[in-house]
Amino acid sequence: MSTIRTAVPEDLPQLKDLWRKCFGDPSAYVDIFFQKFCSMDQVLVLGDEGEVDSMLALLENTLILPTGEEVPVGYVYALATNPYMQGKGHARQIMTYANDVLRQWGKKAITLVPASPSLHRYFESLGLDECFATRKVEVLASSLTGETGGGVMTPISPQEYNQIRADYLKGTFHMAYSDKMISFQEIGSHLAYGDLYRIEVNGVVGCAAIEYVQKRRLLVKELLLPVEEMPKAVEIIAKEMEASRYHVRTPAFWDGLPGSYCQAFGMIKWYDTDLRTKYFAVQDAYLGLGFD
């Protein structure tokens, strides 16, 4: 009979194998995650007699409300089930258990980013609501002019990045990350031949988290800069990082680059009734780095 429990060190080889099997991430990325960013007591597993059939990691984050209030929440990461065990309700079971754990930890909500758009409806059936949209645009290299206006981009530390990020998002409904979790994004970007960057355009300083998703496709996972400076920022990025297509994500509650559109991204299940009542209709809060 399958049971759900907290992972133990002996599970680690199975956890890594399941992660790679389901998501295809490089071994180095998975190894670093467990070595530096997630302890075994943050991982739930479902299985029978020492087998790991399903898993998820529970990361601790902070939601910042428009009022400035900080709300402790859990973030589900690496929810995975062995392909040969899918369709048996394991994800539903382990998510239900995760809700109980997060309530015990004093969290006010559970959040996640579905691995594909088709899964949003599934997570709605588990009681999660749309909350975190993202604004997206695809820019072709052939449409760029090469005019950077003298702007520059330079790699920066997670701490510097986080300070710029916090300044831009002050007064908005957004997810805040610890410097430690920003450093996780830095490592992920490094493994994908990118980095965390400080971008200066016309004397204005912003930030961007960038990585290659394919040899000729670049993903700007987060671009925080005044809207009027975003076109030049893309020109600067293209000058430094060659690609045929540039996929850029910015907050949904800002206007974005020409041709951009909003798309559902992250979801939430509130445990606090008052907060759910107040923010149920909000669908353009900003998650930014989903570590997707």
Side-chain angles (χ1 to χ4, degrees):
M1 179 179 177
S2 294
T3 58
I4 302 174
R5 57 179 173 80
T6 302
V8 295
E10 290 75 17
D11 294 321
L12 196 52
Q14 290 190 76
L15 295 174
K16 292 180 179 181
D17 181 65
L18 178 58
W19 185 320
R20 288 190 293 264
K21 186 184 300 180
C22 291
F23 302 117
D25 290 318
S27 294
Y29 182 82
V30 182
D31 291 344
I32 289 170
F33 177 76
F34 285 114
Q35 288 169 8
K36 296 186 176 183
F37 299 102
C38 184
S39 60
M40 288 296 97
D41 60 3
Q42 292 176 271
V43 180
L44 301 179
V45 299
L46 183 154
D48 182 26
E49 297 182 355
E51 294 294 318
V52 174
D53 296 323
S54 297
M55 63 170 281
L56 63 76
L58 291 175
L59 306 181
E60 300 185 65
N61 282 340
T62 302
L63 263 183
I64 310 295
L65 303 181
T67 60
E69 179 184 353
E70 298 184 0
V71 178
V73 300
Y75 182 73
V76 172
Y77 193 58
L79 172 59
T81 297
N82 260 312
Y84 63 86
M85 296 298 291
Q86 291 177 4
K88 298 180 181 294
H90 285 186
R92 184 178 295 271
Q93 293 174 54
I94 201 168
M95 281 289 293
T96 300
Y97 193 93
N99 284 314
D100 293 338
V101 170
L102 291 176
R103 287 188 177 98
Q104 292 171 14
W105 290 358
K107 305 306 177 186
K108 298 295 183 71
I110 187 171
T111 60
L112 55 74
V113 175
S116 67
S118 64
L119 288 174
H120 281 251
R121 186 174 296 277
Y122 170 75
F123 286 109
E124 284 181 356
S125 75
L126 300 187
L128 282 89
D129 301 312
E130 300 292 355
C131 183
F132 305 98
T134 189
R135 184 175 290 278
K136 302 172 66 176
V137 67
E138 180 180 324
V139 180
L140 300 180
S142 58
S143 71
L144 298 173
T145 66
E147 296 295 327
T148 64
V152 295
M153 60 184 280
T154 53
I156 55 174
S157 70
Q159 293 76 19
E160 293 173 294
Y161 186 96
N162 219 7
Q163 185 58 63
I164 296 171
R165 186 180 193 274
D167 289 344
Y168 270 101
L169 297 176
K170 186 176 181 180
T172 70
F173 189 172
H174 69 278
M175 187 75 80
Y177 299 102
S178 66
D179 289 345
K180 181 178 179 180
M181 291 313 299
I182 296 293
S183 68
F184 179 51
Q185 176 58 56
E186 178 187 46
I187 289 170
S189 290
H190 286 174
L191 290 172
Y193 307 101
D195 212 332
L196 305 176
Y197 294 95
R198 175 185 189 272
I199 298 181
E200 183 171 350
V201 186
N202 295 325
V204 178
V205 173
C207 61
I210 306 176
E211 57 192 50
Y212 281 93
V213 290
Q214 290 179 3
K215 186 175 182 180
R216 299 287 295 166
R217 290 175 58 201
L218 193 77
L219 173 62
V220 182
K221 298 184 75 172
E222 176 171 79
L223 176 61
L224 298 177
L225 203 70
V227 173
E228 61 270 19
E229 307 297 352
M230 286 182 181
K232 277 289 188 290
V234 175
E235 297 281 359
I236 293 164
I237 292 168
K239 180 182 177 182
E240 299 295 331
M241 306 180 75
E242 184 180 357
S244 60
R245 297 172 184 267
Y246 296 86
H247 301 268
V248 185
R249 301 198 310 218
T250 58
F253 47 60
W254 294 350
D255 291 335
L257 288 155
S260 64
Y261 61 95
C262 292
Q263 185 178 64
F265 187 55
M267 304 181 73
I268 191 168
K269 179 177 182 178
W270 292 104
Y271 305 142
D272 185 293
T273 303
D274 291 340
L275 287 173
R276 185 178 190 274
T277 300
K278 189 171 184 178
Y279 294 106
F280 171 76
V282 175
Q283 296 191 11
D284 64 352
Y286 185 62
L287 187 66
L289 305 172
F291 310 109
D292 52 320

